[in-house]
């Protein structure tokens, strides 16, 4: 017989009590906890497979993956919010990432329509964090809470690539820093930086201008956050290299030996050296998958800087996109700076990057039009010396026809109307 709701809540209460010694009762309740967690895996897999079937007619690029929440995360959430274990609605979660925010809008309508015709899945709640971001961190995404025929509730997250980028960035920095920023741990100034960072990304994604005051404020916050993180990483965490891309190839080769349309994987990541320790394909059987998950969690504890995750995917190579914070790891001295630089590539795909708009603003404000030119070195070193993307951004402006000349340069008066749309 499955444990009762009262028993499950007791397991959550006892296991999340940090002052309590681990005893025989704790051991018994541990089994109930795992039974409850494993009950989410099969309906989660069914949801993911349904989504994959639906998405074949969506007509846009996407990445999709599922995960079963880590035990330490669950216990911390019970302590943080003083809730019962049976009240949690995100133990099983699925994530869909699409290109931009307008695709998220279309995806919301698409998923709603398919859920309405489903006999086994019902929408329990919808929450849209995209416009204003969560008050505590600045997190942005759209969430469905979905009720399944088995009675468990699952969370479906819909994100654009930029929204996902922010989320993965704060995850990566949290481990470098040694504090879980999404859970409001750590210095408030670092959290405030990520809130400001989220706001800037939101404006970029929606093709909105960013004032020079906002840029200066973000840069100030970034430098302060980087300084705080640099002073707080004396615990041996030093991520100085990138994860070997061969890991993904190896996982993909292992996946070929399986004939199922979706597999669960247990991945173990060591944040001390920024690499995967081990991985195991655990198939679809929920009991075996969660038992293996729990065993790895015991063998590789979070307090020793290991992260054990249970991920479900029909194509394991997409882990490079869906869980990108395991890849491209930077040393703590450059982690935040690297995030800042990455804004350039993300925003260019949408419209025009921040650096290019700032160069336009300088040239326009100082009236460098037509024959009134300026040397590139002067522009770069005296007026735009804090634009990391200067060379790339200037070339982009030349390709668009906004900036003319080789060196010196100026704005093309014929493009005045178009330039005014950006600055």
């Amino acid at each position: 017989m499955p444990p009762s709701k009262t028993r499950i809540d007791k397991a959550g209460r006892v296991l999340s009590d940090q002052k309590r010694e681990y005893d025989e009762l704790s051991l018994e309740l541990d089994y109930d906890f795992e039974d409850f967690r494993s009950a989410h895996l099969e309906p989660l897999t069914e949801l993911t497979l349904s989504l994959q079937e639906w998405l074949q007619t969506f007509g846009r690029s996407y990445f999709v993956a599922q995960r079963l929440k880590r035990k330490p995360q669950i216990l911390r959430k019970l302590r943080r919010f003083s809730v019962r274990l049976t009240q949690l609605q995100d133990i099983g979660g699925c994530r869909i990432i699409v290109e931009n925010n307008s695709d998220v809008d279309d995806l919301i309508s698409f998923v709603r329509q398919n859920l309405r015709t489903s006999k086994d899945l019902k929408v329990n709640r919808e929450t849209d964090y995209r416009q204003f971001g969560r008050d505590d961190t600045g997190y942005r995404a759209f969430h469905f809470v979905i009720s399944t025929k088995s009675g468990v509730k699952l969370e479906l997250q819909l994100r654009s690539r930029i929204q996902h980028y922010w989320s993965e960035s704060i995850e990566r920095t949290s481990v470098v820093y040694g504090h879980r920023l999404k859970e409001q741990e750590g210095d408030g100034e670092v959290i405030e930086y990520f809130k400001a960072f989220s706001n800037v990304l939101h404006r970029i994604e929606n093709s909105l201008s960013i004032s020079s005051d906002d840029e200066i404020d973000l840069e100030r916050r970034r430098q302060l956050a980087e300084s705080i993180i640099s002073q707080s990483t004396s615990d041996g965490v030093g991520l100085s290299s990138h994860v070997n891309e061969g890991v993904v190839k190896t996982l993909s080769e292992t996946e070929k030996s399986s004939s199922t349309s979706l597999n669960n994987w247990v991945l173990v990541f060591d944040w001390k050296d920024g690499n995967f320790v081990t991985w195991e394909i655990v198939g679809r059987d929920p009991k075996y998958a969660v038992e293996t998950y729990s065993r790895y969690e015991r063998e590789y504890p979070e307090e020793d800087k290991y992260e054990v995750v249970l991920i479900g995917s029909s194509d394991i190579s997409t882990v490079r996109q869906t869980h990108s914070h395991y890849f491209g790891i930077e040393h703590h001295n450059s982690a935040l700076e690297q995030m800042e630089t990455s804004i350039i590539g993300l925003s260019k795909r949408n419209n025009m990057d921040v650096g290019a708009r700032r160069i336009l603003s300088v040239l326009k404000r100082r009236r460098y039009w037509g024959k009134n030119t300026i040397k590139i070195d002067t522009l770069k070193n005296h007026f735009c010396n804090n634009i990391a993307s200067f060379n790339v951004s200037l070339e982009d402006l030349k390709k668009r026809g906004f900036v003319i000349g080789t060196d010196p340069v100026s704005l093309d008066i014929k493009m005045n109307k178009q330039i005014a749309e950006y600055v």
Side-chain angles (χ1 to χ4, degrees):
M1 289 289 292
S4 67
K5 184 177 178 180
T6 301
R7 180 80 174 179
I8 293 166
D9 286 333
K10 183 177 181 179
R13 189 169 62 253
V14 169
L15 297 176
S16 63
D17 186 353
Q18 292 179 301
K19 297 179 182 178
R20 182 187 174 93
E21 291 290 329
Y22 195 83
D23 55 13
E24 209 168 303
L25 176 61
S26 303
L27 180 61
E28 291 176 10
L29 292 173
D30 235 333
Y31 289 111
D32 295 325
F33 176 94
E34 293 303 349
D35 283 345
F36 178 67
R37 184 166 63 156
S38 66
H40 291 74
L41 187 55
E42 189 168 358
L44 175 62
T45 300
E46 291 172 357
L47 170 63
T48 303
L49 290 172
S50 293
L51 289 167
Q52 289 179 333
E53 183 179 349
W54 299 343
L55 287 165
Q56 289 178 14
T57 61
F58 182 55
R60 318 283 168 78
S61 62
Y62 64 87
F63 297 101
V64 60
Q66 67 181 46
R67 65 97 182 100
L68 204 62
K69 206 172 190 72
R70 301 192 301 274
K71 183 178 180 179
Q73 277 185 307
I74 294 172
L75 298 182
R76 286 198 304 273
K77 191 165 188 177
L78 293 177
R79 289 192 294 269
R80 198 163 81 251
F81 294 110
S82 299
V83 294
R84 298 190 302 274
L85 181 54
T86 55
Q87 290 179 309
L88 297 186
Q89 300 178 333
D90 63 345
I91 291 175
C94 186
R95 176 183 302 162
I96 305 175
I97 304 159
V98 290
E99 188 64 26
N100 53 53
N101 202 30
S102 63
D103 288 337
V104 177
D105 288 331
D106 293 340
L107 183 59
I108 293 167
S109 300
F110 180 83
V111 171
R112 276 186 189 139
Q113 183 179 352
N114 281 279
L115 286 172
R116 286 193 195 104
T117 60
S118 173
K119 296 178 181 178
D120 301 327
L121 303 167
K122 301 297 178 187
V123 176
N124 186 258
R125 191 178 73 244
E126 297 182 5
T127 310
D128 194 343
Y129 297 110
R130 293 176 299 156
Q131 180 62 33
F132 301 106
R134 286 185 55 149
D135 291 339
D136 51 0
T137 60
Y139 169 86
R140 283 181 158 88
F142 186 95
H143 288 190
F144 284 103
V145 174
I146 297 172
S147 298
T148 68
K149 64 180 179 180
S150 62
V152 303
K153 291 184 174 63
L154 305 170
E155 182 180 81
L156 171 59
Q157 303 172 349
L158 311 182
R159 301 175 180 172
S160 69
R161 288 177 69 92
I162 282 186
Q163 291 157 4
H164 181 63
Y165 168 77
W166 178 93
S167 187
E168 293 293 284
S169 295
I170 196 171
E171 290 277 9
R172 183 174 74 213
T173 304
S174 292
V175 181
V176 176
Y177 181 23
H179 297 282
R180 301 174 187 92
L181 296 167
K182 273 189 176 179
E183 299 175 20
Q184 291 185 285
E185 291 183 6
D187 195 295
E189 293 290 352
V190 180
I191 296 172
E192 286 301 314
Y193 166 73
F194 273 98
K195 290 170 73 172
F197 186 43
S198 174
N199 290 337
V200 166
L201 288 175
H202 179 68
R203 294 189 68 82
I204 290 171
E205 183 164 39
N206 289 279
S207 302
L208 300 172
S209 62
I210 301 167
S211 71
S212 58
D213 288 343
D214 286 341
E215 290 175 7
I216 291 169
D217 180 65
L218 183 66
E219 176 65 12
R220 178 188 65 79
R221 291 183 184 279
R222 184 192 69 80
Q223 291 178 0
L224 177 58
E226 184 176 333
S227 174
I228 291 168
I229 290 172
S230 296
Q231 294 169 21
S232 304
T233 52
S234 58
D235 58 356
V237 179
L239 304 176
S240 57
S241 63
H242 287 72
V243 175
N244 187 348
E245 290 288 353
V247 169
V248 176
K249 293 180 181 178
T250 304
L251 295 176
S252 296
E253 287 298 319
T254 306
E255 186 177 56
K256 288 178 182 178
S257 64
S258 172
S259 59
T260 61
S261 56
L262 185 146
N263 278 304
N264 290 299
W265 295 76
V266 175
L267 307 177
V268 182
F269 193 81
D270 184 354
W271 285 102
K272 295 188 295 296
D273 65 4
N275 217 331
F276 287 100
V277 176
T278 188
W279 53 82
E280 183 175 337
I281 190 169
V282 292
R284 292 269 292 277
D285 179 69
K287 183 174 176 60
Y288 176 74
V290 177
E291 283 179 354
T292 307
Y293 191 20
S294 300
R295 173 167 56 81
Y296 276 108
E297 285 180 325
R298 291 191 298 271
E299 290 178 10
Y300 298 95
E302 188 180 72
E303 55 266 30
D304 291 341
K305 297 295 180 183
Y306 293 108
E307 188 164 297
V308 181
V309 290
L310 179 65
I311 296 172
S313 176
S314 58
D315 181 359
I316 192 60
S317 66
T318 61
V319 72
R320 184 67 179 83
Q321 283 77 32
T322 59
H323 295 76
S324 56
H325 66 283
Y326 296 127
F327 302 85
I329 307 301
E330 304 295 335
H331 189 272
H332 66 267
N333 286 334
S334 59
L336 292 178
E337 182 181 355
Q338 195 65 28
M339 288 182 226
E340 191 88 347
T341 305
S342 297
I343 299 175
I344 298 161
L346 286 165
S347 57
K348 276 185 71 175
R349 264 206 313 273
N350 286 276
N351 205 333
M352 180 185 289
D353 71 69
V354 176
R357 286 203 297 269
R358 290 175 65 189
I359 293 170
L360 277 183
S361 179
V362 168
L363 292 172
K364 184 180 179 184
R365 189 170 64 249
R366 295 185 174 275
R367 300 182 181 179
Y368 287 110
W369 295 92
K371 294 181 180 179
N372 186 23
T373 60
I374 183 172
K375 294 286 290 181
I376 291 177
D377 281 348
T378 304
L379 177 63
K380 180 177 181 178
N381 297 325
H382 292 276
F383 301 116
C384 303
N385 60 358
N386 59 347
I387 299 178
S389 62
F390 180 87
N391 293 332
V392 173
S393 298
L394 184 62
E395 284 303 310
D396 182 46
L397 293 173
K398 288 182 177 181
K399 288 178 182 178
R400 293 172 184 261
F402 293 169
V403 171
I404 56 176
T406 304
D407 190 12
V409 296
S410 64
L411 297 175
D412 188 345
I413 192 68
K414 296 176 184 177
M415 302 294 286
N416 183 30
K417 185 176 179 181
Q418 292 90 328
I419 290 170
E421 293 174 359
Y422 289 97
V423 294

